[in-house]
Amino acid sequence: MPETTKEAAPGATAAQERFEPRIVAFFCNWCTYLAADLAGTTRLKYAPNVRVVRVMCSGRIDPQFVLEAFAKGADGVLIGGCHPGDCHYESGNYKTLRRYALLHRMLAELGIEEERFRLEWISASEAEPLRVVVNDMVEKVRALGPLNLEIPAERTPEPVEEVAVP
């Protein structure tokens, strides 16, 4: 069961007091998702701001998923996978690590703070570390405030001239 929201820090503006970050979490089916399940069954309390998306492997997370989460209003994205060497599919988390490094640089170029995107290795038996990671990320993103990402309007593709085939 998620814990209740804490009171805002003294001196915070009214908008910061009401701000509750929305965090999209992509969790590996074999490790981190089971840790979240264990946290629930053992009644560990963590912030309710995380919306979990279960994926079969963290290596399955396309960079487009992360970019789309931010574009659609997420204030933070958390990826949870198996510890290196423990991947159910042998090398999925190594693929995730490479993509994470590239995405981290790309998000910095877009002006998204590094605290808003996080990768953690959490095994199925680590419910307490999962709770700590989720609560820590929620607090860090709450301190940053809402992500005001400006998305340019979609451009319509220019019409292509038809070419007559002789």
Short mmCIF file of all heavy atoms in Angstrom, two decimals, residues 16-86:
data_model
loop_
_atom_site.label_atom_id
_atom_site.label_comp_id
_atom_site.label_asym_id
_atom_site.label_seq_id
_atom_site.Cartn_x
_atom_site.Cartn_y
_atom_site.Cartn_z
N GLN A 16 4.33 24.15 -6.08
CA GLN A 16 5.22 23.07 -5.64
C GLN A 16 4.57 22.23 -4.55
O GLN A 16 4.82 21.05 -4.46
CB GLN A 16 6.54 23.66 -5.13
CG GLN A 16 7.40 24.22 -6.25
CD GLN A 16 8.61 24.96 -5.70
OE1 GLN A 16 8.56 25.53 -4.62
NE2 GLN A 16 9.69 24.94 -6.47
N GLU A 17 3.72 22.87 -3.71
CA GLU A 17 3.05 22.12 -2.65
C GLU A 17 2.09 21.09 -3.24
O GLU A 17 1.94 20.02 -2.71
CB GLU A 17 2.30 23.08 -1.74
CG GLU A 17 3.20 23.91 -0.86
CD GLU A 17 2.43 24.89 -0.01
OE1 GLU A 17 1.21 24.72 0.16
OE2 GLU A 17 3.05 25.84 0.48
N ARG A 18 1.46 21.43 -4.35
CA ARG A 18 0.49 20.53 -4.95
C ARG A 18 1.11 19.55 -5.94
O ARG A 18 0.48 18.61 -6.34
CB ARG A 18 -0.58 21.34 -5.68
CG ARG A 18 -1.55 21.98 -4.72
CD ARG A 18 -2.63 22.74 -5.44
NE ARG A 18 -2.15 24.13 -5.52
CZ ARG A 18 -2.17 24.87 -6.62
NH1 ARG A 18 -2.68 24.41 -7.71
NH2 ARG A 18 -1.70 26.10 -6.62
N PHE A 19 2.35 19.76 -6.31
CA PHE A 19 2.96 18.94 -7.35
C PHE A 19 3.22 17.52 -6.86
O PHE A 19 3.88 17.30 -5.87
CB PHE A 19 4.28 19.58 -7.82
CG PHE A 19 5.05 18.72 -8.76
CD1 PHE A 19 4.52 18.39 -10.00
CD2 PHE A 19 6.28 18.20 -8.41
CE1 PHE A 19 5.23 17.58 -10.87
CE2 PHE A 19 6.99 17.39 -9.27
CZ PHE A 19 6.46 17.08 -10.51
N GLU A 20 2.67 16.59 -7.58
CA GLU A 20 2.93 15.17 -7.35
C GLU A 20 3.51 14.61 -8.65
O GLU A 20 2.82 14.60 -9.67
CB GLU A 20 1.64 14.42 -7.00
CG GLU A 20 1.16 14.65 -5.59
CD GLU A 20 2.15 14.17 -4.54
OE1 GLU A 20 2.84 13.15 -4.78
OE2 GLU A 20 2.25 14.82 -3.50
N PRO A 21 4.76 14.20 -8.63
CA PRO A 21 5.38 13.73 -9.87
C PRO A 21 4.73 12.46 -10.41
O PRO A 21 4.27 11.61 -9.65
CB PRO A 21 6.83 13.49 -9.47
CG PRO A 21 6.86 13.44 -8.00
CD PRO A 21 5.65 14.15 -7.49
N ARG A 22 4.70 12.39 -11.73
CA ARG A 22 4.23 11.18 -12.41
C ARG A 22 5.46 10.48 -12.95
O ARG A 22 6.17 11.02 -13.80
CB ARG A 22 3.28 11.54 -13.54
CG ARG A 22 1.95 12.04 -13.06
CD ARG A 22 1.10 12.45 -14.18
NE ARG A 22 1.70 13.71 -14.68
CZ ARG A 22 1.19 14.47 -15.61
NH1 ARG A 22 0.11 14.11 -16.22
NH2 ARG A 22 1.77 15.58 -15.98
N ILE A 23 5.69 9.28 -12.48
CA ILE A 23 6.87 8.53 -12.89
C ILE A 23 6.42 7.24 -13.57
O ILE A 23 5.63 6.48 -13.01
CB ILE A 23 7.78 8.24 -11.68
CG1 ILE A 23 8.29 9.58 -11.13
CG2 ILE A 23 8.93 7.33 -12.08
CD1 ILE A 23 9.08 9.47 -9.87
N VAL A 24 6.93 7.03 -14.76
CA VAL A 24 6.66 5.79 -15.49
C VAL A 24 7.82 4.85 -15.22
O VAL A 24 8.98 5.22 -15.39
CB VAL A 24 6.51 6.05 -17.00
CG1 VAL A 24 6.35 4.75 -17.76
CG2 VAL A 24 5.33 6.98 -17.27
N ALA A 25 7.49 3.64 -14.76
CA ALA A 25 8.53 2.67 -14.43
C ALA A 25 8.38 1.44 -15.34
O ALA A 25 7.31 0.83 -15.38
CB ALA A 25 8.42 2.25 -12.98
N PHE A 26 9.43 1.15 -16.06
CA PHE A 26 9.46 -0.06 -16.88
C PHE A 26 10.23 -1.11 -16.10
O PHE A 26 11.42 -0.96 -15.86
CB PHE A 26 10.16 0.22 -18.23
CG PHE A 26 9.44 1.22 -19.08
CD1 PHE A 26 9.86 2.54 -19.14
CD2 PHE A 26 8.35 0.84 -19.84
CE1 PHE A 26 9.20 3.46 -19.93
CE2 PHE A 26 7.68 1.76 -20.63
CZ PHE A 26 8.10 3.07 -20.68
N PHE A 27 9.51 -2.16 -15.67
CA PHE A 27 10.12 -3.18 -14.83
C PHE A 27 10.20 -4.51 -15.56
O PHE A 27 9.22 -4.98 -16.14
CB PHE A 27 9.32 -3.38 -13.54
CG PHE A 27 9.48 -2.28 -12.53
CD1 PHE A 27 8.62 -2.20 -11.45
CD2 PHE A 27 10.48 -1.33 -12.63
CE1 PHE A 27 8.74 -1.20 -10.50
CE2 PHE A 27 10.62 -0.32 -11.70
CZ PHE A 27 9.74 -0.26 -10.63
N CYS A 28 11.36 -5.14 -15.45
CA CYS A 28 11.60 -6.48 -16.00
C CYS A 28 10.68 -7.49 -15.31
O CYS A 28 10.53 -7.47 -14.09
CB CYS A 28 13.06 -6.83 -15.76
SG CYS A 28 13.45 -8.57 -15.78
N ASN A 29 10.08 -8.34 -16.09
CA ASN A 29 9.14 -9.34 -15.57
C ASN A 29 9.77 -10.29 -14.56
O ASN A 29 9.13 -10.71 -13.60
CB ASN A 29 8.59 -10.15 -16.74
CG ASN A 29 7.60 -11.20 -16.31
OD1 ASN A 29 6.59 -10.90 -15.71
ND2 ASN A 29 7.92 -12.45 -16.59
N TRP A 30 11.05 -10.62 -14.74
CA TRP A 30 11.69 -11.68 -13.95
C TRP A 30 12.34 -11.19 -12.67
O TRP A 30 12.59 -11.99 -11.78
CB TRP A 30 12.71 -12.41 -14.82
CG TRP A 30 12.09 -12.92 -16.06
CD1 TRP A 30 12.19 -12.39 -17.31
CD2 TRP A 30 11.22 -14.05 -16.18
NE1 TRP A 30 11.45 -13.10 -18.20
CE2 TRP A 30 10.85 -14.14 -17.54
CE3 TRP A 30 10.73 -14.98 -15.29
CZ2 TRP A 30 9.99 -15.12 -18.01
CZ3 TRP A 30 9.88 -15.96 -15.76
CH2 TRP A 30 9.53 -16.03 -17.10
N CYS A 31 12.64 -9.91 -12.58
CA CYS A 31 13.33 -9.42 -11.38
C CYS A 31 12.59 -8.25 -10.72
O CYS A 31 11.98 -8.40 -9.68
CB CYS A 31 14.76 -9.01 -11.72
SG CYS A 31 15.83 -10.42 -12.02
N THR A 32 12.66 -7.08 -11.31
CA THR A 32 12.16 -5.89 -10.65
C THR A 32 10.65 -5.93 -10.46
O THR A 32 10.13 -5.48 -9.43
CB THR A 32 12.58 -4.63 -11.42
OG1 THR A 32 13.98 -4.72 -11.72
CG2 THR A 32 12.36 -3.38 -10.60
N TYR A 33 9.93 -6.46 -11.43
CA TYR A 33 8.48 -6.56 -11.26
C TYR A 33 8.14 -7.48 -10.09
O TYR A 33 7.24 -7.20 -9.29
CB TYR A 33 7.81 -7.05 -12.54
CG TYR A 33 6.31 -6.99 -12.45
CD1 TYR A 33 5.63 -5.80 -12.68
CD2 TYR A 33 5.56 -8.12 -12.13
CE1 TYR A 33 4.26 -5.73 -12.57
CE2 TYR A 33 4.18 -8.07 -12.02
CZ TYR A 33 3.54 -6.87 -12.25
OH TYR A 33 2.17 -6.80 -12.14
N LEU A 34 8.89 -8.57 -9.95
CA LEU A 34 8.66 -9.48 -8.82
C LEU A 34 9.05 -8.82 -7.50
O LEU A 34 8.42 -9.10 -6.46
CB LEU A 34 9.43 -10.78 -9.02
CG LEU A 34 8.93 -11.67 -10.17
CD1 LEU A 34 9.82 -12.90 -10.32
CD2 LEU A 34 7.48 -12.07 -9.97
N ALA A 35 10.06 -7.96 -7.52
CA ALA A 35 10.42 -7.21 -6.31
C ALA A 35 9.27 -6.28 -5.91
O ALA A 35 8.96 -6.14 -4.73
CB ALA A 35 11.71 -6.42 -6.52
N ALA A 36 8.65 -5.64 -6.91
CA ALA A 36 7.50 -4.77 -6.62
C ALA A 36 6.34 -5.60 -6.07
O ALA A 36 5.64 -5.17 -5.15
CB ALA A 36 7.08 -4.02 -7.88
N ASP A 37 6.16 -6.78 -6.63
CA ASP A 37 5.11 -7.67 -6.13
C ASP A 37 5.40 -8.10 -4.70
O ASP A 37 4.51 -8.10 -3.84
CB ASP A 37 5.02 -8.89 -7.06
CG ASP A 37 3.80 -9.74 -6.77
OD1 ASP A 37 2.73 -9.17 -6.50
OD2 ASP A 37 3.93 -10.99 -6.80
N LEU A 38 6.66 -8.42 -4.42
CA LEU A 38 7.06 -8.80 -3.07
C LEU A 38 6.86 -7.64 -2.10
O LEU A 38 6.41 -7.84 -0.95
CB LEU A 38 8.52 -9.26 -3.06
CG LEU A 38 9.08 -9.72 -1.72
CD1 LEU A 38 8.32 -10.95 -1.20
CD2 LEU A 38 10.57 -10.03 -1.84
N ALA A 39 7.18 -6.43 -2.55
CA ALA A 39 6.97 -5.26 -1.69
C ALA A 39 5.49 -5.13 -1.34
O ALA A 39 5.14 -4.80 -0.20
CB ALA A 39 7.47 -4.00 -2.39
N GLY A 40 4.63 -5.41 -2.30
CA GLY A 40 3.20 -5.34 -2.04
C GLY A 40 2.74 -6.42 -1.08
O GLY A 40 1.97 -6.14 -0.15
N THR A 41 3.20 -7.65 -1.27
CA THR A 41 2.74 -8.74 -0.40
C THR A 41 3.31 -8.64 1.02
O THR A 41 2.70 -9.14 1.96
CB THR A 41 3.09 -10.12 -1.00
OG1 THR A 41 4.50 -10.18 -1.24
CG2 THR A 41 2.32 -10.37 -2.28
N THR A 42 4.49 -8.00 1.15
CA THR A 42 5.05 -7.82 2.49
C THR A 42 4.65 -6.47 3.10
O THR A 42 5.15 -6.12 4.16
CB THR A 42 6.59 -7.94 2.46
OG1 THR A 42 7.11 -7.01 1.52
CG2 THR A 42 7.02 -9.34 2.11
N ARG A 43 3.79 -5.76 2.39
CA ARG A 43 3.21 -4.51 2.87
C ARG A 43 4.25 -3.42 3.13
O ARG A 43 4.14 -2.65 4.09
CB ARG A 43 2.36 -4.73 4.10
CG ARG A 43 1.21 -5.65 3.81
CD ARG A 43 0.35 -5.87 5.00
NE ARG A 43 -0.68 -6.85 4.66
CZ ARG A 43 -1.90 -6.77 5.09
NH1 ARG A 43 -2.28 -5.79 5.88
NH2 ARG A 43 -2.79 -7.68 4.75
N LEU A 44 5.27 -3.38 2.27
CA LEU A 44 6.22 -2.26 2.34
C LEU A 44 5.54 -1.05 1.69
O LEU A 44 4.92 -1.18 0.64
CB LEU A 44 7.50 -2.59 1.58
CG LEU A 44 8.41 -3.64 2.20
CD1 LEU A 44 9.60 -3.90 1.29
CD2 LEU A 44 8.91 -3.16 3.56
N LYS A 45 5.68 0.08 2.30
CA LYS A 45 5.04 1.29 1.78
C LYS A 45 6.01 2.05 0.91
O LYS A 45 7.17 2.23 1.28
CB LYS A 45 4.57 2.17 2.92
CG LYS A 45 3.48 1.53 3.73
CD LYS A 45 3.04 2.42 4.85
CE LYS A 45 1.95 1.74 5.65
NZ LYS A 45 1.51 2.55 6.77
N TYR A 46 5.53 2.47 -0.24
CA TYR A 46 6.32 3.35 -1.10
C TYR A 46 5.40 4.34 -1.79
O TYR A 46 4.17 4.18 -1.77
CB TYR A 46 7.16 2.55 -2.11
CG TYR A 46 6.40 1.63 -3.02
CD1 TYR A 46 5.90 2.08 -4.24
CD2 TYR A 46 6.20 0.30 -2.67
CE1 TYR A 46 5.22 1.22 -5.08
CE2 TYR A 46 5.52 -0.57 -3.51
CZ TYR A 46 5.04 -0.09 -4.71
OH TYR A 46 4.36 -0.94 -5.55
N ALA A 47 5.98 5.36 -2.36
CA ALA A 47 5.22 6.46 -2.95
C ALA A 47 4.31 5.95 -4.05
O ALA A 47 4.70 5.09 -4.85
CB ALA A 47 6.18 7.51 -3.50
N PRO A 48 3.08 6.47 -4.13
CA PRO A 48 2.12 6.00 -5.13
C PRO A 48 2.28 6.67 -6.49
O PRO A 48 1.41 6.53 -7.33
CB PRO A 48 0.78 6.38 -4.49
CG PRO A 48 1.09 7.61 -3.72
CD PRO A 48 2.48 7.42 -3.19
N ASN A 49 3.36 7.38 -6.71
CA ASN A 49 3.52 8.17 -7.93
C ASN A 49 4.02 7.38 -9.12
O ASN A 49 4.18 7.93 -10.20
CB ASN A 49 4.50 9.31 -7.68
CG ASN A 49 4.09 10.14 -6.49
OD1 ASN A 49 4.08 9.64 -5.37
ND2 ASN A 49 3.73 11.37 -6.73
N VAL A 50 4.31 6.11 -8.94
CA VAL A 50 4.91 5.30 -10.00
C VAL A 50 3.84 4.47 -10.69
O VAL A 50 3.03 3.82 -10.04
CB VAL A 50 6.00 4.38 -9.42
CG1 VAL A 50 6.56 3.45 -10.46
CG2 VAL A 50 7.11 5.21 -8.81
N ARG A 51 3.85 4.54 -12.01
CA ARG A 51 2.97 3.69 -12.82
C ARG A 51 3.87 2.66 -13.49
O ARG A 51 4.74 3.01 -14.28
CB ARG A 51 2.24 4.50 -13.89
CG ARG A 51 1.39 5.60 -13.33
CD ARG A 51 0.24 5.04 -12.49
NE ARG A 51 -0.57 6.09 -11.91
CZ ARG A 51 -0.46 6.54 -10.67
NH1 ARG A 51 0.43 6.03 -9.85
NH2 ARG A 51 -1.24 7.50 -10.23
N VAL A 52 3.66 1.41 -13.14
CA VAL A 52 4.55 0.34 -13.59
C VAL A 52 4.07 -0.24 -14.92
O VAL A 52 2.89 -0.53 -15.09
CB VAL A 52 4.63 -0.78 -12.53
CG1 VAL A 52 5.46 -1.94 -13.04
CG2 VAL A 52 5.20 -0.24 -11.23
N VAL A 53 5.02 -0.37 -15.82
CA VAL A 53 4.79 -1.06 -17.09
C VAL A 53 5.67 -2.30 -17.07
O VAL A 53 6.89 -2.19 -16.99
CB VAL A 53 5.15 -0.17 -18.29
CG1 VAL A 53 4.95 -0.92 -19.60
CG2 VAL A 53 4.36 1.13 -18.28
N ARG A 54 5.05 -3.46 -17.10
CA ARG A 54 5.81 -4.71 -17.04
C ARG A 54 6.27 -5.09 -18.44
O ARG A 54 5.45 -5.17 -19.36
CB ARG A 54 4.94 -5.82 -16.46
CG ARG A 54 5.69 -7.12 -16.31
CD ARG A 54 4.99 -8.05 -15.38
NE ARG A 54 3.94 -8.80 -16.02
CZ ARG A 54 3.22 -9.73 -15.42
NH1 ARG A 54 3.44 -10.01 -14.16
NH2 ARG A 54 2.29 -10.37 -16.06
N VAL A 55 7.56 -5.32 -18.57
CA VAL A 55 8.13 -5.78 -19.85
C VAL A 55 8.84 -7.11 -19.58
O VAL A 55 9.27 -7.38 -18.48
CB VAL A 55 9.11 -4.74 -20.44
CG1 VAL A 55 8.38 -3.47 -20.86
CG2 VAL A 55 10.22 -4.41 -19.47
N MET A 56 8.94 -7.93 -20.58
CA MET A 56 9.55 -9.25 -20.37
C MET A 56 11.03 -9.15 -20.02
O MET A 56 11.57 -9.99 -19.31
CB MET A 56 9.35 -10.13 -21.60
CG MET A 56 7.91 -10.56 -21.78
SD MET A 56 7.19 -11.33 -20.30
CE MET A 56 8.05 -12.86 -20.27
N CYS A 57 11.70 -8.13 -20.54
CA CYS A 57 13.12 -7.94 -20.26
C CYS A 57 13.40 -6.45 -20.38
O CYS A 57 12.80 -5.77 -21.22
CB CYS A 57 13.96 -8.72 -21.26
SG CYS A 57 15.74 -8.50 -21.07
N SER A 58 14.32 -5.94 -19.56
CA SER A 58 14.67 -4.52 -19.68
C SER A 58 15.29 -4.24 -21.05
O SER A 58 15.22 -3.13 -21.54
CB SER A 58 15.62 -4.10 -18.55
OG SER A 58 16.82 -4.83 -18.62
N GLY A 59 15.86 -5.27 -21.67
CA GLY A 59 16.42 -5.11 -23.01
C GLY A 59 15.35 -4.87 -24.06
O GLY A 59 15.63 -4.47 -25.18
N ARG A 60 14.11 -5.10 -23.70
CA ARG A 60 12.99 -4.90 -24.61
C ARG A 60 12.57 -3.42 -24.68
O ARG A 60 11.84 -3.03 -25.59
CB ARG A 60 11.80 -5.75 -24.15
CG ARG A 60 10.49 -5.49 -24.82
CD ARG A 60 10.56 -5.84 -26.29
NE ARG A 60 9.31 -5.55 -26.96
CZ ARG A 60 8.98 -4.40 -27.55
NH1 ARG A 60 9.84 -3.41 -27.53
NH2 ARG A 60 7.83 -4.23 -28.14
N ILE A 61 13.07 -2.63 -23.77
CA ILE A 61 12.65 -1.22 -23.69
C ILE A 61 13.31 -0.43 -24.81
O ILE A 61 14.51 -0.19 -24.79
CB ILE A 61 12.98 -0.62 -22.31
CG1 ILE A 61 12.28 -1.43 -21.23
CG2 ILE A 61 12.58 0.84 -22.26
CD1 ILE A 61 12.79 -1.15 -19.85
N ASP A 62 12.50 -0.07 -25.75
CA ASP A 62 12.98 0.73 -26.87
C ASP A 62 13.17 2.16 -26.39
O ASP A 62 12.37 2.65 -25.59
CB ASP A 62 11.92 0.68 -27.98
CG ASP A 62 12.40 1.26 -29.28
OD1 ASP A 62 12.52 2.49 -29.36
OD2 ASP A 62 12.64 0.48 -30.22
N PRO A 63 14.22 2.85 -26.84
CA PRO A 63 14.39 4.26 -26.44
C PRO A 63 13.15 5.11 -26.74
O PRO A 63 12.87 6.08 -26.04
CB PRO A 63 15.59 4.72 -27.27
CG PRO A 63 16.36 3.47 -27.52
CD PRO A 63 15.33 2.38 -27.64
N GLN A 64 12.40 4.72 -27.75
CA GLN A 64 11.19 5.45 -28.09
C GLN A 64 10.18 5.41 -26.94
O GLN A 64 9.44 6.36 -26.73
CB GLN A 64 10.56 4.87 -29.36
CG GLN A 64 9.38 5.65 -29.87
CD GLN A 64 9.76 7.05 -30.35
OE1 GLN A 64 10.85 7.25 -30.88
NE2 GLN A 64 8.88 8.00 -30.14
N PHE A 65 10.14 4.31 -26.17
CA PHE A 65 9.23 4.21 -25.03
C PHE A 65 9.53 5.32 -24.01
O PHE A 65 8.62 5.94 -23.47
CB PHE A 65 9.37 2.86 -24.31
CG PHE A 65 9.01 1.65 -25.12
CD1 PHE A 65 9.23 0.39 -24.59
CD2 PHE A 65 8.46 1.74 -26.38
CE1 PHE A 65 8.90 -0.75 -25.31
CE2 PHE A 65 8.13 0.61 -27.11
CZ PHE A 65 8.35 -0.63 -26.57
N VAL A 66 10.81 5.53 -23.76
CA VAL A 66 11.22 6.54 -22.78
C VAL A 66 10.88 7.93 -23.29
O VAL A 66 10.31 8.75 -22.57
CB VAL A 66 12.73 6.41 -22.49
CG1 VAL A 66 13.21 7.52 -21.58
CG2 VAL A 66 13.03 5.04 -21.88
N LEU A 67 11.22 8.20 -24.54
CA LEU A 67 10.94 9.52 -25.11
C LEU A 67 9.44 9.79 -25.14
O LEU A 67 9.00 10.90 -24.85
CB LEU A 67 11.54 9.60 -26.52
CG LEU A 67 13.06 9.50 -26.59
CD1 LEU A 67 13.52 9.46 -28.03
CD2 LEU A 67 13.73 10.64 -25.84
N GLU A 68 8.66 8.77 -25.47
CA GLU A 68 7.22 8.94 -25.52
C GLU A 68 6.63 9.17 -24.13
O GLU A 68 5.69 9.95 -23.96
CB GLU A 68 6.57 7.73 -26.18
CG GLU A 68 5.14 7.98 -26.60
CD GLU A 68 4.60 6.90 -27.50
OE1 GLU A 68 5.35 6.41 -28.36
OE2 GLU A 68 3.44 6.54 -27.33
N ALA A 69 7.19 8.51 -23.14
CA ALA A 69 6.71 8.72 -21.76
C ALA A 69 6.91 10.17 -21.35
O ALA A 69 6.00 10.80 -20.81
CB ALA A 69 7.44 7.78 -20.80
N PHE A 70 8.09 10.72 -21.64
CA PHE A 70 8.34 12.12 -21.32
C PHE A 70 7.43 13.03 -22.15
O PHE A 70 6.88 14.00 -21.64
CB PHE A 70 9.80 12.50 -21.56
CG PHE A 70 10.72 12.08 -20.45
CD1 PHE A 70 11.75 11.18 -20.67
CD2 PHE A 70 10.56 12.59 -19.17
CE1 PHE A 70 12.61 10.80 -19.66
CE2 PHE A 70 11.41 12.21 -18.14
CZ PHE A 70 12.44 11.31 -18.38
N ALA A 71 7.27 12.71 -23.42
CA ALA A 71 6.44 13.54 -24.30
C ALA A 71 4.98 13.55 -23.87
O ALA A 71 4.28 14.53 -24.07
CB ALA A 71 6.57 13.06 -25.75
N LYS A 72 4.53 12.45 -23.26
CA LYS A 72 3.13 12.36 -22.86
C LYS A 72 2.87 12.77 -21.41
O LYS A 72 1.81 12.48 -20.87
CB LYS A 72 2.60 10.95 -23.13
CG LYS A 72 2.49 10.68 -24.62
CD LYS A 72 1.71 9.44 -24.91
CE LYS A 72 1.49 9.35 -26.41
NZ LYS A 72 0.68 8.23 -26.79
N GLY A 73 3.88 13.38 -20.78
CA GLY A 73 3.62 13.99 -19.48
C GLY A 73 4.29 13.37 -18.28
O GLY A 73 4.05 13.83 -17.16
N ALA A 74 5.13 12.36 -18.47
CA ALA A 74 5.82 11.80 -17.31
C ALA A 74 6.87 12.81 -16.83
O ALA A 74 7.51 13.48 -17.63
CB ALA A 74 6.50 10.49 -17.68
N ASP A 75 7.00 12.91 -15.52
CA ASP A 75 8.02 13.79 -14.94
C ASP A 75 9.32 13.03 -14.71
O ASP A 75 10.36 13.65 -14.47
CB ASP A 75 7.53 14.36 -13.61
CG ASP A 75 6.29 15.22 -13.80
OD1 ASP A 75 6.36 16.18 -14.59
OD2 ASP A 75 5.26 14.90 -13.20
N GLY A 76 9.26 11.71 -14.77
CA GLY A 76 10.44 10.89 -14.60
C GLY A 76 10.21 9.49 -15.17
O GLY A 76 9.06 9.06 -15.29
N VAL A 77 11.29 8.83 -15.53
CA VAL A 77 11.21 7.47 -16.04
C VAL A 77 12.23 6.62 -15.29
O VAL A 77 13.39 7.00 -15.17
CB VAL A 77 11.48 7.41 -17.57
CG1 VAL A 77 11.54 5.97 -18.04
CG2 VAL A 77 10.42 8.18 -18.34
N LEU A 78 11.75 5.50 -14.77
CA LEU A 78 12.59 4.57 -14.03
C LEU A 78 12.60 3.24 -14.76
O LEU A 78 11.55 2.72 -15.12
CB LEU A 78 12.04 4.38 -12.61
CG LEU A 78 12.65 3.30 -11.74
CD1 LEU A 78 14.12 3.61 -11.44
CD2 LEU A 78 11.85 3.18 -10.44
N ILE A 79 13.80 2.71 -14.98
CA ILE A 79 13.93 1.39 -15.60
C ILE A 79 14.51 0.45 -14.55
O ILE A 79 15.51 0.77 -13.91
CB ILE A 79 14.85 1.44 -16.84
CG1 ILE A 79 14.22 2.32 -17.93
CG2 ILE A 79 15.11 0.03 -17.37
CD1 ILE A 79 15.09 2.51 -19.15
N GLY A 80 13.87 -0.69 -14.37
CA GLY A 80 14.36 -1.69 -13.43
C GLY A 80 14.60 -3.00 -14.14
O GLY A 80 13.73 -3.47 -14.88
N GLY A 81 15.78 -3.56 -13.93
CA GLY A 81 16.10 -4.82 -14.58
C GLY A 81 16.89 -5.73 -13.66
O GLY A 81 17.21 -5.38 -12.52
N CYS A 82 17.21 -6.91 -14.17
CA CYS A 82 18.00 -7.89 -13.42
C CYS A 82 19.43 -7.38 -13.27
O CYS A 82 19.92 -6.64 -14.10
CB CYS A 82 18.03 -9.21 -14.16
SG CYS A 82 16.41 -9.90 -14.54
N HIS A 83 20.09 -7.85 -12.23
CA HIS A 83 21.50 -7.52 -12.06
C HIS A 83 22.29 -8.07 -13.25
O HIS A 83 21.94 -9.14 -13.78
CB HIS A 83 22.05 -8.13 -10.77
CG HIS A 83 21.54 -7.45 -9.53
ND1 HIS A 83 22.11 -6.30 -9.05
CD2 HIS A 83 20.51 -7.76 -8.72
CE1 HIS A 83 21.45 -5.93 -7.95
NE2 HIS A 83 20.48 -6.80 -7.73
N PRO A 84 23.35 -7.36 -13.68
CA PRO A 84 24.17 -7.88 -14.78
C PRO A 84 24.66 -9.31 -14.47
O PRO A 84 25.12 -9.58 -13.37
CB PRO A 84 25.33 -6.89 -14.84
CG PRO A 84 24.75 -5.62 -14.31
CD PRO A 84 23.78 -6.04 -13.25
N GLY A 85 24.48 -10.17 -15.42
CA GLY A 85 24.84 -11.57 -15.25
C GLY A 85 23.68 -12.44 -14.82
O GLY A 85 23.77 -13.66 -14.87
N ASP A 86 22.58 -11.83 -14.38
CA ASP A 86 21.41 -12.59 -13.94
C ASP A 86 20.24 -12.51 -14.90
O ASP A 86 19.15 -13.00 -14.59
CB ASP A 86 20.93 -12.07 -12.57
CG ASP A 86 21.88 -12.40 -11.45
OD1 ASP A 86 22.74 -13.27 -11.65
OD2 ASP A 86 21.77 -11.77 -10.38
#
